[in-house]
């Protein structure tokens, strides 16, 4: 193998990825990610399941007119899109504050750069 084959990602052939993955910093990074992702995923899936169940079993409620041809079902359906964008924004904010600084430290340590 040539030296470029070992130098994947610019980290150099001396990087022991198993030790990086097992490090307390990386474990903390994974924990921080899971603290956000798992509850938010469960919340969104419950919200979507509620929408589906209401659409299937609560026809009267979902067809309640709010204004003109706009009914509760349409509003709930559009709120599915809104909730997706809200979750995305919350994740970006969370990642910028809680995940990226730790990931930058790990990357700097692997690449041998001083932490900024």
């Amino acid at each position: 193998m040539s030296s470029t084959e070992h130098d994947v990602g610019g980290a150099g052939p001396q990087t022991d990825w198993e030790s990086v993955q097992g490090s307390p910093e990386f474990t903390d990074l994974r924990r921080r990610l899971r603290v956000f992702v798992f509850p938010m995923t469960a919340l969104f899936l419950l919200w979507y399941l509620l929408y589906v169940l209401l659409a299937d079993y609560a026809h009267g409620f979902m067809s309640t007119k709010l204004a003109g041809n706009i009914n509760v079902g349409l509003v709930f359906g559009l709120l599915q899109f809104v909730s997706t964008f809200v979750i995305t924004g919350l994740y970006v904010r969370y990642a910028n504050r809680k995940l990226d600084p730790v990931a930058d430290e790990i990357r700097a340590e692997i690449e041998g750069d001083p932490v900024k």
Side-chain angles (χ1 to χ4, degrees), residues 24-60:
E25 295 86 5
F26 192 80
T27 302
D28 180 55
L29 180 62
R30 285 193 328 221
R31 183 194 58 75
R32 289 179 186 213
L33 177 70
R34 290 178 181 145
V35 161
F36 182 88
V37 170
F38 290 158
M40 197 59 67
T41 300
L43 181 67
F44 181 78
L45 289 175
L46 288 172
W47 160 237
Y48 182 73
L49 181 62
L50 174 68
Y51 172 66
V52 170
L53 291 173
L54 287 173
D56 196 30
Y57 296 108
H59 297 281

Side-chain angles (χ1 to χ4, degrees), residues 52-112:
V52 170
L53 291 173
L54 287 173
D56 196 30
Y57 296 108
H59 297 281
F61 173 69
M62 294 296 269
S63 64
T64 302
K65 295 215 181 238
L66 299 174
N69 288 332
I70 299 174
N71 61 23
V72 173
L74 179 62
V75 171
F76 273 30
L78 292 174
L79 285 174
Q80 293 292 318
F81 291 102
V82 172
S83 65
T84 301
F85 289 113
V86 168
I87 291 170
T88 301
L90 290 172
Y91 175 76
V92 168
R93 193 171 115 204
Y94 182 81
N96 286 338
R97 289 185 304 131
K98 302 283 186 175
L99 302 177
D100 291 348
V102 176
D104 290 342
E105 288 177 17
I106 294 171
R107 183 181 307 111
E109 184 179 319
I110 291 170
E111 294 175 353

